[in-house]
Amino acid sequence: MSREFDEGLERAERTRPIPQSTAARMRFLLKGAKGSTKKLALDLGVSQRTVQRWLKGQGNPKPAAAKQIETKVRATW
């Protein structure tokens, strides 16, 4: 019985899709960083200005940074 309950909870947690665009992913990560673009930049290993650009939807991260963003989003989603 509890196994079925756990599986149901797990499915319910995954009903919302993971953000797809870079800007949406950055907004999600920014919430986890308590609104600090500086802290988020340190976590991602990029400059604060780069984080601000990605939040506005300007430019795309390099493949390595995009993979890191995706990994962090999936880990906390």
Side-chain angles (χ1 to χ4, degrees):
M1 174 85 176
S2 70
R3 181 181 169 115
E4 292 175 31
F5 183 74
D6 290 339
E7 289 175 3
L9 281 177
E10 194 170 308
R11 274 195 309 273
E13 288 177 352
R14 296 191 177 140
T15 56
R16 287 181 25 215
I18 293 174
Q20 294 299 308
S21 72
T22 300
R25 289 178 177 182
M26 294 302 291
R27 285 191 300 272
F28 173 73
L29 292 174
L30 189 63
K31 287 180 185 178
K34 299 180 181 175
S36 171
T37 55
K38 187 174 186 177
K39 183 179 183 313
L40 183 55
L42 288 172
D43 288 344
L44 295 174
V46 296
S47 71
Q48 184 176 2
R49 181 65 187 120
T50 298
V51 169
Q52 292 168 346
R53 275 196 293 279
W54 291 344
L55 281 167
K56 287 183 177 181
Q58 299 172 343
N60 293 316
K62 294 180 180 178
K67 182 68 175 168
Q68 187 178 15
I69 292 168
E70 181 180 357
T71 302
K72 286 189 180 291
V73 169
R74 287 187 184 277
T76 56
W77 188 255

